[in-house]
Amino acid sequence: MKKRILIVVTNRDHYISEDKKTGLWLSELTHFYDIFEKEGYQQDIVSPLGGDIPLDPRSLSSMGMDKSAKKKYEDPEFMKLLKNTKATKDVDWQDYDAVYYTGGHGVMWDFPEDKHIQEINKNMYENGKVVAAVCHGYCGLLETKLSDGKYLVDGKKLTGFSWNEEVLAMVSKQMPYNVEEEMKKRGANYQKHFLPFIPKVVVDKNLITGQNPNSAKKTAQAVLGFLNATP
């Protein structure tokens, strides 16, 4: 049976200030999706609330809209997948071999608050399935506790969007918290590239994380490698 991928995206469309818009960073989805689409995997896109998915306006700019994102943005069938997503509460983790959390700043609000995300993470991780995230997607790991009561990230090597990158992106004042520091407080062995916005992927057994939007493709390749090596 072909392996299946669960992709989780945000429903949140604004920062602290409602007039400052955010949402899914499109290329973080498309770079990952392209690789597994080519391999013939089934991919299901879900969100905490279900329904329509907002796109971060900056991800649609010339800076964020690369060939992959542009092709999918202009594909009505693909965009339809983002108009009517299932909710995480309607997902059975047992149906999937990997879960992948995309970024965009909206996830800082709705991913940690979603108890269904935490259950998906706990069960998939403890059963040897892949738990993966890129950029701000690692916010989905913040509040996950395992059966022993410890945080999933405790003692694990991981990466995600750094505070330095938030400052350079000129959005640090719109952040509800410093996720890099919150990860460290939970015992994570946080790692980052010594230069901002350079691709970096960290693999710690079945936990696979990428630092920033430019890391999405390499994150997907690492997930694919793990799945191909798993019976």
Side-chain angles (χ1 to χ4, degrees):
M1 180 182 293
K2 201 66 175 177
K3 293 175 180 177
R4 297 176 65 184
I5 312 292
L6 180 66
I7 300 175
V8 188
V9 299
T10 187
N11 295 113
R12 173 96 176 192
D13 70 351
H14 62 277
Y15 292 95
I16 290 175
S17 301
E18 292 192 15
D19 62 334
K20 295 189 181 298
K21 297 301 181 182
T22 184
L24 165 67
W25 196 273
L26 185 59
S27 67
E28 293 177 19
L29 169 62
T30 65
H31 286 187
F32 187 95
Y33 197 95
D34 286 347
I35 285 177
F36 286 95
E37 183 178 48
K38 184 178 180 180
E39 295 291 326
Y41 280 63
Q42 178 176 332
Q43 302 180 82
D44 296 333
I45 303 174
V46 303
S47 59
L49 300 177
D52 193 17
I53 302 305
L55 300 179
D56 189 304
R58 295 211 294 184
S59 79
L60 305 180
S61 69
S62 57
M63 175 190 72
M65 184 74 88
D66 63 3
K67 183 178 179 180
S68 168
K70 187 174 188 295
K71 183 177 180 180
K72 286 291 192 283
Y73 187 67
E74 295 175 349
D75 180 352
E77 289 304 311
F78 180 80
M79 294 304 295
K80 190 183 298 183
L81 299 177
L82 299 179
K83 289 293 183 183
N84 189 30
T85 61
K86 290 175 62 175
T88 52
K89 68 180 179 64
D90 297 322
V91 168
D92 185 345
W93 66 269
Q94 296 180 83
D95 293 338
Y96 299 93
D97 299 278
V99 59
Y100 170 68
Y101 294 96
T102 62
H105 285 89
V107 307
M108 298 185 76
W109 284 268
D110 58 0
F111 279 13
E113 296 176 355
D114 187 345
K115 64 181 182 181
H116 305 292
I117 280 178
Q118 314 317 324
E119 281 298 306
I120 290 168
N121 290 341
K122 177 178 77 72
N123 288 311
M124 293 192 74
Y125 184 81
E126 291 183 339
N127 283 276
K129 297 170 183 277
V130 175
V131 176
V134 74
C135 200
H136 290 89
Y138 76 142
C139 293
L141 310 176
L142 264 179
E143 302 302 333
T144 301
K145 290 186 176 181
L146 302 177
S147 297
D148 61 6
K150 293 182 179 179
Y151 284 107
L152 185 156
V153 300
D154 188 7
K156 308 299 192 308
K157 293 182 294 184
L158 56 74
T159 189
F161 208 63
S162 68
W163 186 251
N164 185 41
E165 287 169 319
E166 300 282 19
V167 173
L168 291 172
M170 297 183 292
V171 290
S172 59
K173 293 181 179 179
Q174 286 291 323
M175 297 300 96
Y177 51 87
N178 180 334
V179 62
E180 176 184 337
E181 285 304 311
E182 292 300 319
M183 280 294 180
K184 292 174 181 176
K185 289 178 183 178
R186 287 157 176 75
N189 178 3
Y190 176 83
Q191 303 177 3
K192 62 184 176 183
H193 199 285
F194 67 94
L195 292 175
F197 307 112
I198 300 300
K200 181 177 179 62
V201 175
V202 175
V203 178
D204 191 332
K205 298 180 181 178
N206 55 323
L207 178 64
I208 301 173
T209 49
Q211 183 177 332
N212 44 45
N214 296 324
S215 305
K217 184 176 180 179
K218 289 182 179 295
T219 302
Q221 290 168 338
V223 172
L224 181 61
F226 185 97
L227 293 177
N228 285 344
T230 305

